[in-house]
Each structure stands twice: as structure tokens, then as C-alpha cells.
Amino acid sequence: MVGLATPPPGVRLVRATFHHARRDFPAALEDLDAVVKEDPGNVDAWLLRAEVLGTRGEHAEAARSCARLTALTSSLTVAVCEARVRSLAGHSRKAHALLSEALRRSERSQESRTRALATLAEAAALAGDVGLAERYFLRALSLDSKDYAARAAYADLLLDAGRAREAAVVVMDHTQDDRLLLRHALAENALGSSRASEVTQALSRRFEESRLRGTVSSRARRPASRSRWRRRRRRRSGWRRPCGHHSVSHGTCGC
């Protein structure tokens, strides 16, 4: 089956996104390397490749992926890429400064600005400035209330800060998205509310439906770049969370 052996770049990019969500970084890079070789102008592939490499600790190679974007897209998108790599390298404050300046100078699209603000929020969270991170998330969501990735990351920030009630409010009207249904279940369980069982059962049904379709939804999984600061905070708290059909330690949960 030649078509299956050599999928087109678009299919490889989707598959790489799934591998990245599963933290299967070698498989993700294999697909991304193939995409940028066949389609060197693919901005999304270079962005994801930089993030995967940065998560693996290959920061110099990740920076080179960002550099390839210079001739392909806006300076703000390039700055988003560079800021992510710097945050992953442990330089969150430098990432924040870089992206803040780029955002001030930019008049790009709403989507680009929303992405930049969400990246600023992540950098602030990595630096331990929860208040600043929250302000950036709120600005991002004011520009695009349906940016579900940013909404999920904001809910994560609130959950980690012990503000489960606020996290539930942030996500409860958007649970058609798998990521936000997961955060809703986490919030209701953290509160010990009467809705916890109902929402957790809905989450279990969602995962079962995905399993029966033959794929586990990658949207419900936490992006690797965002999970890093969450794991760092949780190691100090020993917090436990529900996942799928039962509660497990955060260190073993795959969601």
C-alpha cells in the first residue's frame, strides 16, 4: 500500500501532532522531518518541530527551526517560536521580554496576537508569576473566547493554584472540546461537588467513544510544553487527580 507508506505532508503533520501529544517525540520528529523536507514552507511543521526539539532539550536545533520561519511568516510568529524555545530551555523571563517587545511592535492578525498572549502566559507561569500569567490568559481569551487551547491552559493554572471553582467556571460552557471536559472533571472532583460523578462519567464516555472509533483523542491530552510547569508545581503539592474511569496519581496519568 504505497499510499499508506508515503502519506502526504498534511497527513504526516496531523500524525506528528498526535505523536507529540502522546509524548512520542522520536515518531513526531520522524514525521516532521519528512514534512519540512517535502514542504519546506510549512510554517506549522517548523513551529511544532521547534517545540518538540525544545521539549527534548535540543534547544540549539529547536532555535534553528525557528530561524527557518523568518522568511515564511510574520515576525510575531517567529517571536512566539523563539519564546517557546527559551521557556523550554529555562529562560522564561527572557522569553517574556522577547515576546512582549514583539507584541508591542506588531499589528498582526487577532489569531497571531492570541497565540502570542497565550505564550506569554505560559512563560510567566514557568517563571512562577501566576498573577501575570492569569492576566495574559484573560487578554488572550478576550480576543478569542473559542481558543480552547488557551482556555485549557488557563484552567490548568487555576487548578494548580487551588482555585478549582474558578476553573470550573472557565470551562463549563465549552465542554464540547475534550480538553475542557477533562478540566471540568478535574475541577468538580477537586471541589468534591455533587456534579463530580456526572462529569467524570461524561468524560469516561467521551474516551470510550474515541476508543471505539480507533483513536484516543489527542485534544484531551495536555501539550508537553504546558505540562512541564504543571508537573513542577504538583511535585510540591502531591495533588491527585481523576483520569478516565478512576483516580490516579498525576505522575501516572496519561491524559
Side-chain angles (χ1 to χ4, degrees):
M1 299 291 291
V2 175
L4 292 177
T6 56
V11 173
R12 279 190 180 272
L13 182 56
V14 171
R15 193 166 67 183
T17 302
F18 178 75
H19 288 318
H20 178 229
R22 296 290 300 271
R23 301 185 65 80
D24 186 352
F25 301 131
L29 282 174
E30 181 179 349
D31 276 330
L32 290 167
D33 286 345
V35 172
V36 297
K37 181 177 181 180
E38 186 172 346
D39 181 14
N42 193 311
V43 171
D44 289 334
W46 286 114
L47 281 168
L48 183 56
R49 187 174 186 272
E51 186 162 343
V52 171
L53 288 164
T55 304
R56 281 166 54 103
E58 299 178 41
H59 303 122
E61 184 61 28
R64 282 191 280 272
S65 288
C66 293
R68 294 296 297 267
L69 292 168
T70 303
L72 301 175
T73 187
S74 70
S75 59
L76 181 56
T77 300
V78 176
V80 167
C81 185
E82 293 173 344
R84 283 177 174 169
V85 171
R86 291 192 185 191
S87 289
L88 290 168
H91 303 301
S92 300
R93 295 191 186 281
K94 290 181 179 179
H96 179 272
L98 166 71
L99 198 48
S100 294
E101 179 60 25
L103 195 56
R104 279 194 292 270
R105 289 188 276 103
S106 173
E107 296 182 359
R108 300 298 300 181
S109 69
Q110 175 177 299
E111 181 180 358
S112 295
R113 294 182 67 82
T114 302
R115 179 186 291 178
L117 286 165
T119 302
L120 278 169
E122 293 165 23
L126 278 166
D129 193 335
V130 175
L132 182 60
E134 182 172 8
R135 291 194 291 275
Y136 279 130
F137 276 131
L138 289 172
R139 285 178 61 190
L141 292 173
S142 72
L143 289 177
D144 183 2
S145 64
K146 293 186 178 180
D147 186 331
Y148 293 147
R151 190 171 289 275
Y154 179 34
D156 288 342
L157 184 78
L158 294 172
L159 285 167
D160 286 343
R163 297 160 62 186
R165 194 173 304 280
E166 293 170 74
V169 171
V170 166
V171 301
M172 65 172 49
D173 292 332
H174 305 274
T175 53
Q176 67 272 21
D177 183 89
D178 294 353
R179 293 165 294 191
L180 300 182
L181 179 59
L182 171 60
R183 272 66 180 185
H184 193 197
L186 295 177
E188 297 294 350
N189 277 273
L191 291 168
S193 75
S194 59
R195 299 199 60 199
S197 178
E198 174 190 346
V199 177
T200 301
Q201 288 175 14
L203 177 65
S204 296
R205 287 193 298 271
R206 186 78 59 86
F207 278 119
E208 181 65 12
E209 290 167 2
S210 294
R211 187 188 68 79
L212 292 174
R213 288 197 302 268
T215 59
V216 176
S217 173
S218 64
R219 293 180 302 168
R221 296 181 181 273
R222 186 185 315 115
S225 62
R226 288 180 178 148
S227 67
R228 177 170 295 191
W229 58 268
R230 302 189 69 222
R231 288 198 304 273
R232 184 180 303 165
R233 291 172 63 86
R234 285 183 177 161
R235 274 196 292 269
R236 295 196 294 267
S237 66
W239 187 64
R240 295 173 67 85
R241 51 170 286 187
C243 180
H245 298 279
H246 51 82
S247 293
V248 295
S249 163
H250 70 268
T252 59
C253 179
C255 297

